[in-house]
mmCIF file of all heavy atoms in Angstrom:
data_model
loop_
_atom_site.group_PDB
_atom_site.id
_atom_site.type_symbol
_atom_site.label_atom_id
_atom_site.label_comp_id
_atom_site.label_asym_id
_atom_site.label_seq_id
_atom_site.Cartn_x
_atom_site.Cartn_y
_atom_site.Cartn_z
ATOM 1 N N THR Q 536 -54.961 163.854 162.527
ATOM 2 C CA THR Q 536 -55.097 162.401 162.554
ATOM 3 C C THR Q 536 -56.247 161.965 163.443
ATOM 4 O O THR Q 536 -57.065 161.116 163.074
ATOM 5 C CB THR Q 536 -53.785 161.760 163.037
ATOM 6 O OG1 THR Q 536 -52.723 162.140 162.164
ATOM 7 C CG2 THR Q 536 -53.907 160.241 163.047
ATOM 8 N N TRP Q 537 -56.319 162.556 164.628
ATOM 9 C CA TRP Q 537 -57.398 162.213 165.549
ATOM 10 C C TRP Q 537 -58.759 162.636 165.013
ATOM 11 O O TRP Q 537 -59.767 161.938 165.187
ATOM 12 C CB TRP Q 537 -57.152 162.853 166.914
ATOM 13 C CG TRP Q 537 -56.118 162.125 167.707
ATOM 14 C CD1 TRP Q 537 -54.852 162.525 167.982
ATOM 15 C CD2 TRP Q 537 -56.272 160.835 168.314
ATOM 16 N NE1 TRP Q 537 -54.191 161.573 168.726
ATOM 17 C CE2 TRP Q 537 -55.038 160.523 168.942
ATOM 18 C CE3 TRP Q 537 -57.308 159.916 168.378
ATOM 19 C CZ2 TRP Q 537 -54.829 159.347 169.640
ATOM 20 C CZ3 TRP Q 537 -57.111 158.728 169.080
ATOM 21 C CH2 TRP Q 537 -55.885 158.444 169.696
ATOM 22 N N LEU Q 538 -58.796 163.768 164.323
ATOM 23 C CA LEU Q 538 -60.054 164.197 163.720
ATOM 24 C C LEU Q 538 -60.496 163.199 162.650
ATOM 25 O O LEU Q 538 -61.690 162.916 162.484
ATOM 26 C CB LEU Q 538 -59.910 165.593 163.119
ATOM 27 C CG LEU Q 538 -59.878 166.771 164.110
ATOM 28 C CD1 LEU Q 538 -59.599 168.062 163.362
ATOM 29 C CD2 LEU Q 538 -61.203 166.866 164.850
ATOM 30 N N GLY Q 539 -59.514 162.691 161.894
ATOM 31 C CA GLY Q 539 -59.850 161.696 160.882
ATOM 32 C C GLY Q 539 -60.424 160.441 161.504
ATOM 33 O O GLY Q 539 -61.398 159.870 161.006
ATOM 34 N N CYS Q 540 -59.825 159.974 162.610
ATOM 35 C CA CYS Q 540 -60.347 158.793 163.307
ATOM 36 C C CYS Q 540 -61.740 159.051 163.858
ATOM 37 O O CYS Q 540 -62.631 158.187 163.777
ATOM 38 C CB CYS Q 540 -59.388 158.393 164.436
ATOM 39 S SG CYS Q 540 -57.765 157.835 163.860
ATOM 40 N N THR Q 541 -61.901 160.260 164.418
ATOM 41 C CA THR Q 541 -63.230 160.612 164.953
ATOM 42 C C THR Q 541 -64.273 160.666 163.847
ATOM 43 O O THR Q 541 -65.399 160.172 164.009
ATOM 44 C CB THR Q 541 -63.154 161.981 165.658
ATOM 45 O OG1 THR Q 541 -62.170 161.938 166.698
ATOM 46 C CG2 THR Q 541 -64.502 162.364 166.264
ATOM 47 N N GLY Q 542 -63.876 161.253 162.709
ATOM 48 C CA GLY Q 542 -64.820 161.317 161.594
ATOM 49 C C GLY Q 542 -65.191 159.938 161.089
ATOM 50 O O GLY Q 542 -66.354 159.680 160.736
ATOM 51 N N LEU Q 543 -64.214 159.016 161.062
ATOM 52 C CA LEU Q 543 -64.501 157.661 160.608
ATOM 53 C C LEU Q 543 -65.484 156.960 161.563
ATOM 54 O O LEU Q 543 -66.428 156.294 161.115
ATOM 55 C CB LEU Q 543 -63.194 156.866 160.527
ATOM 56 C CG LEU Q 543 -63.300 155.424 160.013
ATOM 57 C CD1 LEU Q 543 -63.842 155.419 158.585
ATOM 58 C CD2 LEU Q 543 -61.944 154.732 160.074
ATOM 59 N N ALA Q 544 -65.280 157.168 162.872
ATOM 60 C CA ALA Q 544 -66.176 156.549 163.842
ATOM 61 C C ALA Q 544 -67.587 157.130 163.723
ATOM 62 O O ALA Q 544 -68.582 156.385 163.767
ATOM 63 C CB ALA Q 544 -65.628 156.756 165.249
ATOM 64 N N LEU Q 545 -67.673 158.436 163.568
ATOM 65 C CA LEU Q 545 -68.976 159.070 163.452
ATOM 66 C C LEU Q 545 -69.679 158.662 162.155
ATOM 67 O O LEU Q 545 -70.909 158.506 162.123
ATOM 68 C CB LEU Q 545 -68.841 160.595 163.499
ATOM 69 C CG LEU Q 545 -68.496 161.166 164.879
ATOM 70 C CD1 LEU Q 545 -68.299 162.668 164.779
ATOM 71 C CD2 LEU Q 545 -69.614 160.862 165.877
ATOM 72 N N ALA Q 546 -68.888 158.471 161.105
ATOM 73 C CA ALA Q 546 -69.473 158.031 159.842
ATOM 74 C C ALA Q 546 -70.110 156.657 159.997
ATOM 75 O O ALA Q 546 -71.192 156.373 159.478
ATOM 76 C CB ALA Q 546 -68.408 158.018 158.748
ATOM 77 N N GLY Q 547 -69.392 155.756 160.728
ATOM 78 C CA GLY Q 547 -69.969 154.434 160.985
ATOM 79 C C GLY Q 547 -71.240 154.520 161.806
ATOM 80 O O GLY Q 547 -72.218 153.807 161.561
ATOM 81 N N LEU Q 548 -71.257 155.427 162.805
ATOM 82 C CA LEU Q 548 -72.442 155.612 163.633
ATOM 83 C C LEU Q 548 -73.599 156.154 162.823
ATOM 84 O O LEU Q 548 -74.757 155.722 162.970
ATOM 85 C CB LEU Q 548 -72.110 156.559 164.791
ATOM 86 C CG LEU Q 548 -73.239 156.841 165.785
ATOM 87 C CD1 LEU Q 548 -73.664 155.545 166.472
ATOM 88 C CD2 LEU Q 548 -72.787 157.864 166.818
ATOM 89 N N LEU Q 549 -73.271 157.111 161.937
ATOM 90 C CA LEU Q 549 -74.328 157.673 161.098
ATOM 91 C C LEU Q 549 -74.896 156.626 160.137
ATOM 92 O O LEU Q 549 -76.102 156.626 159.840
ATOM 93 C CB LEU Q 549 -73.763 158.865 160.296
ATOM 94 C CG LEU Q 549 -73.424 160.125 161.110
ATOM 95 C CD1 LEU Q 549 -72.719 161.133 160.223
ATOM 96 C CD2 LEU Q 549 -74.690 160.735 161.707
ATOM 97 N N ALA Q 550 -74.033 155.724 159.683
ATOM 98 C CA ALA Q 550 -74.510 154.679 158.787
ATOM 99 C C ALA Q 550 -75.488 153.738 159.477
ATOM 100 O O ALA Q 550 -76.447 153.240 158.877
ATOM 101 C CB ALA Q 550 -73.326 153.881 158.236
ATOM 102 N N LEU Q 551 -75.277 153.523 160.797
ATOM 103 C CA LEU Q 551 -76.164 152.631 161.548
ATOM 104 C C LEU Q 551 -77.495 153.296 161.873
ATOM 105 O O LEU Q 551 -78.545 152.659 161.868
ATOM 106 C CB LEU Q 551 -75.460 152.198 162.841
ATOM 107 C CG LEU Q 551 -74.228 151.291 162.680
ATOM 108 C CD1 LEU Q 551 -73.590 151.036 164.034
ATOM 109 C CD2 LEU Q 551 -74.616 149.974 162.013
ATOM 110 N N THR Q 552 -77.441 154.597 162.154
ATOM 111 C CA THR Q 552 -78.681 155.288 162.524
ATOM 112 C C THR Q 552 -79.478 155.760 161.334
ATOM 113 O O THR Q 552 -80.643 156.127 161.483
ATOM 114 C CB THR Q 552 -78.351 156.485 163.417
ATOM 115 O OG1 THR Q 552 -77.430 157.350 162.730
ATOM 116 C CG2 THR Q 552 -77.700 156.022 164.730
ATOM 117 N N GLY Q 553 -78.867 155.771 160.175
ATOM 118 C CA GLY Q 553 -79.581 156.092 158.942
ATOM 119 C C GLY Q 553 -80.020 157.519 158.758
ATOM 120 O O GLY Q 553 -81.141 157.755 158.313
ATOM 121 N N PRO Q 554 -79.199 158.504 159.066
ATOM 122 C CA PRO Q 554 -79.580 159.898 158.806
ATOM 123 C C PRO Q 554 -79.374 160.254 157.335
ATOM 124 O O PRO Q 554 -78.998 159.391 156.531
ATOM 125 C CB PRO Q 554 -78.624 160.685 159.706
ATOM 126 C CG PRO Q 554 -77.401 159.848 159.698
ATOM 127 C CD PRO Q 554 -77.866 158.423 159.662
ATOM 128 N N SER Q 555 -79.530 161.548 157.056
ATOM 129 C CA SER Q 555 -79.356 162.001 155.678
ATOM 130 C C SER Q 555 -77.918 161.766 155.215
ATOM 131 O O SER Q 555 -76.963 162.065 155.930
ATOM 132 C CB SER Q 555 -79.687 163.492 155.589
ATOM 133 O OG SER Q 555 -79.292 164.022 154.330
ATOM 134 N N ILE Q 556 -77.788 161.196 154.026
ATOM 135 C CA ILE Q 556 -76.451 160.992 153.448
ATOM 136 C C ILE Q 556 -75.746 162.323 153.243
ATOM 137 O O ILE Q 556 -74.524 162.427 153.393
ATOM 138 C CB ILE Q 556 -76.567 160.224 152.112
ATOM 139 C CG1 ILE Q 556 -77.126 158.823 152.370
ATOM 140 C CG2 ILE Q 556 -75.216 160.149 151.429
ATOM 141 C CD1 ILE Q 556 -77.315 158.008 151.116
ATOM 142 N N LEU Q 557 -76.505 163.355 152.927
ATOM 143 C CA LEU Q 557 -75.917 164.675 152.695
ATOM 144 C C LEU Q 557 -75.194 165.169 153.934
ATOM 145 O O LEU Q 557 -74.103 165.733 153.841
ATOM 146 C CB LEU Q 557 -77.016 165.668 152.290
ATOM 147 C CG LEU Q 557 -76.547 167.125 152.046
ATOM 148 C CD1 LEU Q 557 -75.535 167.154 150.906
ATOM 149 C CD2 LEU Q 557 -77.741 168.011 151.743
ATOM 150 N N VAL Q 558 -75.784 164.971 155.120
ATOM 151 C CA VAL Q 558 -75.163 165.410 156.369
ATOM 152 C C VAL Q 558 -73.811 164.717 156.566
ATOM 153 O O VAL Q 558 -72.813 165.322 156.912
ATOM 154 C CB VAL Q 558 -76.085 165.135 157.580
ATOM 155 C CG1 VAL Q 558 -75.363 165.439 158.882
ATOM 156 C CG2 VAL Q 558 -77.354 165.955 157.464
ATOM 157 N N ALA Q 559 -73.825 163.388 156.330
ATOM 158 C CA ALA Q 559 -72.586 162.615 156.488
ATOM 159 C C ALA Q 559 -71.511 163.078 155.507
ATOM 160 O O ALA Q 559 -70.333 163.208 155.862
ATOM 161 C CB ALA Q 559 -72.876 161.130 156.306
ATOM 162 N N VAL Q 560 -71.906 163.348 154.263
ATOM 163 C CA VAL Q 560 -70.944 163.783 153.244
ATOM 164 C C VAL Q 560 -70.347 165.137 153.599
ATOM 165 O O VAL Q 560 -69.128 165.361 153.496
ATOM 166 C CB VAL Q 560 -71.607 163.809 151.859
ATOM 167 C CG1 VAL Q 560 -70.691 164.483 150.839
ATOM 168 C CG2 VAL Q 560 -71.963 162.402 151.389
ATOM 169 N N VAL Q 561 -71.217 166.056 154.012
ATOM 170 C CA VAL Q 561 -70.755 167.404 154.381
ATOM 171 C C VAL Q 561 -69.805 167.341 155.577
ATOM 172 O O VAL Q 561 -68.762 167.989 155.610
ATOM 173 C CB VAL Q 561 -71.945 168.326 154.677
ATOM 174 C CG1 VAL Q 561 -71.459 169.653 155.271
ATOM 175 C CG2 VAL Q 561 -72.749 168.585 153.412
ATOM 176 N N PHE Q 562 -70.165 166.527 156.573
ATOM 177 C CA PHE Q 562 -69.344 166.409 157.773
ATOM 178 C C PHE Q 562 -67.955 165.860 157.437
ATOM 179 O O PHE Q 562 -66.933 166.395 157.858
ATOM 180 C CB PHE Q 562 -70.046 165.513 158.794
ATOM 181 C CG PHE Q 562 -69.243 165.238 160.014
ATOM 182 C CD1 PHE Q 562 -69.101 166.201 161.004
ATOM 183 C CD2 PHE Q 562 -68.607 164.010 160.195
ATOM 184 C CE1 PHE Q 562 -68.345 165.947 162.136
ATOM 185 C CE2 PHE Q 562 -67.850 163.752 161.310
ATOM 186 C CZ PHE Q 562 -67.730 164.723 162.291
ATOM 187 N N LEU Q 563 -67.927 164.776 156.691
ATOM 188 C CA LEU Q 563 -66.635 164.173 156.342
ATOM 189 C C LEU Q 563 -65.827 165.072 155.422
ATOM 190 O O LEU Q 563 -64.594 165.139 155.527
ATOM 191 C CB LEU Q 563 -66.859 162.802 155.709
ATOM 192 C CG LEU Q 563 -67.425 161.719 156.640
ATOM 193 C CD1 LEU Q 563 -67.721 160.458 155.839
ATOM 194 C CD2 LEU Q 563 -66.424 161.417 157.746
ATOM 195 N N GLY Q 564 -66.508 165.757 154.524
ATOM 196 C CA GLY Q 564 -65.813 166.685 153.645
ATOM 197 C C GLY Q 564 -65.162 167.830 154.411
ATOM 198 O O GLY Q 564 -64.027 168.230 154.104
ATOM 199 N N ALA Q 565 -65.884 168.331 155.413
ATOM 200 C CA ALA Q 565 -65.316 169.400 156.226
ATOM 201 C C ALA Q 565 -64.087 168.924 156.990
ATOM 202 O O ALA Q 565 -63.091 169.652 157.095
ATOM 203 C CB ALA Q 565 -66.370 169.932 157.208
ATOM 204 N N LEU Q 566 -64.146 167.709 157.525
ATOM 205 C CA LEU Q 566 -62.987 167.162 158.224
ATOM 206 C C LEU Q 566 -61.782 167.032 157.295
ATOM 207 O O LEU Q 566 -60.644 167.341 157.659
ATOM 208 C CB LEU Q 566 -63.326 165.802 158.828
ATOM 209 C CG LEU Q 566 -64.095 165.773 160.149
ATOM 210 C CD1 LEU Q 566 -64.311 164.342 160.588
ATOM 211 C CD2 LEU Q 566 -63.326 166.536 161.226
ATOM 212 N N GLN Q 567 -62.027 166.554 156.083
ATOM 213 C CA GLN Q 567 -60.938 166.398 155.121
ATOM 214 C C GLN Q 567 -60.298 167.743 154.774
ATOM 215 O O GLN Q 567 -59.061 167.853 154.691
ATOM 216 C CB GLN Q 567 -61.464 165.721 153.852
ATOM 217 C CG GLN Q 567 -61.807 164.251 154.057
ATOM 218 C CD GLN Q 567 -62.404 163.638 152.806
ATOM 219 O OE1 GLN Q 567 -62.961 164.334 151.967
ATOM 220 N NE2 GLN Q 567 -62.345 162.322 152.697
ATOM 221 N N LEU Q 568 -61.125 168.758 154.568
ATOM 222 C CA LEU Q 568 -60.595 170.077 154.222
ATOM 223 C C LEU Q 568 -59.782 170.658 155.394
ATOM 224 O O LEU Q 568 -58.744 171.290 155.187
ATOM 225 C CB LEU Q 568 -61.739 171.025 153.851
ATOM 226 C CG LEU Q 568 -62.430 170.727 152.529
ATOM 227 C CD1 LEU Q 568 -63.623 171.658 152.331
ATOM 228 C CD2 LEU Q 568 -61.450 170.869 151.373
ATOM 229 N N LEU Q 569 -60.276 170.426 156.606
ATOM 230 C CA LEU Q 569 -59.552 170.901 157.761
ATOM 231 C C LEU Q 569 -58.184 170.236 157.871
ATOM 232 O O LEU Q 569 -57.159 170.903 158.100
ATOM 233 C CB LEU Q 569 -60.350 170.649 159.044
ATOM 234 C CG LEU Q 569 -59.649 170.991 160.372
ATOM 235 C CD1 LEU Q 569 -59.337 172.477 160.433
ATOM 236 C CD2 LEU Q 569 -60.533 170.585 161.550
ATOM 237 N N CYS Q 570 -58.148 168.955 157.686
ATOM 238 C CA CYS Q 570 -56.887 168.215 157.751
ATOM 239 C C CYS Q 570 -55.929 168.639 156.637
ATOM 240 O O CYS Q 570 -54.719 168.799 156.853
ATOM 241 C CB CYS Q 570 -57.144 166.709 157.680
ATOM 242 S SG CYS Q 570 -58.049 166.061 159.100
ATOM 243 N N LEU Q 571 -56.464 168.869 155.446
ATOM 244 C CA LEU Q 571 -55.624 169.339 154.345
ATOM 245 C C LEU Q 571 -55.086 170.735 154.626
ATOM 246 O O LEU Q 571 -53.927 171.044 154.273
ATOM 247 C CB LEU Q 571 -56.444 169.346 153.039
ATOM 248 C CG LEU Q 571 -56.695 167.979 152.394
ATOM 249 C CD1 LEU Q 571 -57.633 168.141 151.182
ATOM 250 C CD2 LEU Q 571 -55.374 167.342 151.942
ATOM 251 N N GLY Q 572 -55.912 171.564 155.255
ATOM 252 C CA GLY Q 572 -55.452 172.905 155.600
ATOM 253 C C GLY Q 572 -54.307 172.885 156.597
ATOM 254 O O GLY Q 572 -53.313 173.621 156.459
ATOM 255 N N LEU Q 573 -54.411 172.019 157.603
ATOM 256 C CA LEU Q 573 -53.330 171.890 158.580
ATOM 257 C C LEU Q 573 -52.056 171.386 157.910
ATOM 258 O O LEU Q 573 -50.945 171.892 158.172
ATOM 259 C CB LEU Q 573 -53.745 170.935 159.696
ATOM 260 C CG LEU Q 573 -54.851 171.428 160.635
ATOM 261 C CD1 LEU Q 573 -55.296 170.316 161.556
ATOM 262 C CD2 LEU Q 573 -54.388 172.622 161.414
ATOM 263 N N LEU Q 574 -52.195 170.391 157.045
ATOM 264 C CA LEU Q 574 -51.031 169.875 156.337
ATOM 265 C C LEU Q 574 -50.436 170.954 155.431
ATOM 266 O O LEU Q 574 -49.214 171.088 155.308
ATOM 267 C CB LEU Q 574 -51.434 168.657 155.500
ATOM 268 C CG LEU Q 574 -50.332 167.989 154.683
ATOM 269 C CD1 LEU Q 574 -49.213 167.476 155.570
ATOM 270 C CD2 LEU Q 574 -50.916 166.843 153.837
ATOM 271 N N GLY Q 575 -51.320 171.733 154.798
ATOM 272 C CA GLY Q 575 -50.856 172.792 153.910
ATOM 273 C C GLY Q 575 -50.012 173.843 154.614
ATOM 274 O O GLY Q 575 -49.076 174.400 154.022
ATOM 275 N N GLU Q 576 -50.333 174.146 155.872
ATOM 276 C CA GLU Q 576 -49.553 175.117 156.625
ATOM 277 C C GLU Q 576 -48.098 174.671 156.742
ATOM 278 O O GLU Q 576 -47.173 175.457 156.589
ATOM 279 C CB GLU Q 576 -50.160 175.328 158.007
ATOM 280 C CG GLU Q 576 -51.401 176.204 158.031
ATOM 281 C CD GLU Q 576 -51.086 177.643 157.653
ATOM 282 O OE1 GLU Q 576 -49.961 178.098 157.917
ATOM 283 O OE2 GLU Q 576 -51.968 178.290 157.086
#
């Protein structure tokens, strides 16, 4: 849950600074997979 909140905050920060969209997508995707893995256990 905290990782999801952190990822959401970082996504907002990345949107303001204007980096590569690919970096933001990969980062958020990794967070989602991690959270799904924990839930899957």
